[in-house]
Each structure stands twice: as structure tokens, then as C-alpha cells.
């Protein structure tokens, strides 16, 4: 069976990938560990340690499609951001994408994909919304 010249199997696989409940985090990050520990049903997430397994361009594209921008996924709190003096540079969306792909520290953490929704970072309102959403997973 074909759909718009794409084999049906591939469509199912792509849908399965994007429907996976997943967390992008750093195992060495105490804030990430604390958030994971506080989440109900966190064992139902697929864990992706971005240091051990760097984010791919395809994964970043999926995050971008849900977040609407690379800047939303970019961490301006990263030590490397400060040491490269990027705050005094005008960054474009392409720049944000490039830096995230070059070094894991530029991805705001954690990033959670849950039932087609994205939760980025550790801001308290975001974590409260995520916790509520996780309760029903």
C-alpha cells in the first residue's frame, strides 16, 4: 500500500518515532536527575543521554517542529555560551541549530516529548505542567 508515493511501512515507522515519549537529558546533571525522580511514571519515557548519544539532526528537526524554533531549544545558561561570548553575538536560527548539533551543552535540558507535546527546560511552571501530563501516561 502506498500513500503519496511513500511506502506505508515507512509512514508507520515515522509516526512511531514521533509518538515516542522521550526525555533528552544529561545523566550527570543533578537538575535533570531531580526532575526525573519527581515525575510520575517516568519509567514510561525513553531515556536519551545527550552526552553519551549526541542528538542527531533528524531528532533536532523533530524537536524544532514541536517547539517552533531552535532558539527555544538553545540553552543560554551553558558555560560554553558564556566562554564563547555568544551573548554579544546576534545568532540566527541556523546558528542555534549548528551550535546544538556541535555540542550537547547547548541543548536546553531536559527536553521531554510526551504525547506529541514538548516540554523544554527546568522552569517551575513547565515542570508543573509536565508533572500533571505525566500523571496520565
Amino acid at each position: 500500500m502506498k500513500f503519496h508515493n511513500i511506502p506505508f511501512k515507512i509512514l508507520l515507522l515515522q509516526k512511531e518515532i514521533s509518538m515516542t515519549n522521550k526525555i533528552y537529558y544529561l545523566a550527570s546533571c543533578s537538575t535533570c536527575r531531580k526532575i526525573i525522580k519527581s515525575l510520575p511514571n517516568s519509567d514510561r519515557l525513553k531515556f536519551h543521554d545527550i552526552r553519551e548519544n549526541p542528538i542527531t539532526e533528524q531528532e533536532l528537526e523533530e524537536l524544532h517542529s514541536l517547539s517552533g524554533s531552535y532558539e527555544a531549544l538553545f540553552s543560554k545558561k551553558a558555560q560554553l555560551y558564556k566562554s564563547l561570548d555568544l551573548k554579544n553575538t546576534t545568532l540566527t536560527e541556523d546558528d542555534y541549530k549548528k551550535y546544538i548539533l556541535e555540542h550537547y551543552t547547548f541543548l536546553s535540558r531536559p527536553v521531554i516529548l510526551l504525547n506529541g507535546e514538548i516540554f523544554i527546560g527546568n522552569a517551575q511552571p513547565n515542570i508543573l505542567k509536565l508533572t500533571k501530563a505525566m500523571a496520565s501516561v
Side-chain angles (χ1 to χ4, degrees), residues 42-81:
S42 64
D43 59 325
R44 297 185 183 164
L45 294 171
K46 181 179 176 188
F47 287 78
H48 184 127
D49 183 344
I50 58 175
R51 182 185 316 207
E52 295 297 318
N53 186 12
I55 192 165
T56 66
E57 187 167 2
Q58 181 182 352
E59 289 167 325
L60 185 56
E61 289 300 325
E62 181 181 7
L63 299 179
H64 176 263
S65 71
L66 291 168
S67 68
S69 77
Y70 294 109
E71 183 177 10
L73 297 163
F74 188 86
S75 174
K76 293 181 179 174
K77 296 177 185 176
Q79 296 276 337
L80 202 48
Y81 177 79

Side-chain angles (χ1 to χ4, degrees), residues 55-108:
I55 192 165
T56 66
E57 187 167 2
Q58 181 182 352
E59 289 167 325
L60 185 56
E61 289 300 325
E62 181 181 7
L63 299 179
H64 176 263
S65 71
L66 291 168
S67 68
S69 77
Y70 294 109
E71 183 177 10
L73 297 163
F74 188 86
S75 174
K76 293 181 179 174
K77 296 177 185 176
Q79 296 276 337
L80 202 48
Y81 177 79
K82 294 169 186 167
S83 68
L84 294 175
D85 197 32
L86 295 177
K87 68 180 177 181
N88 294 317
T89 305
T90 303
L91 299 174
T92 65
E93 279 290 289
D94 287 338
D95 293 328
Y96 290 120
K97 178 182 179 180
K98 176 184 75 108
Y99 282 118
I100 292 169
L101 289 172
E102 282 179 4
H103 201 278
Y104 66 86
T105 194
F106 286 118
L107 182 67
S108 188

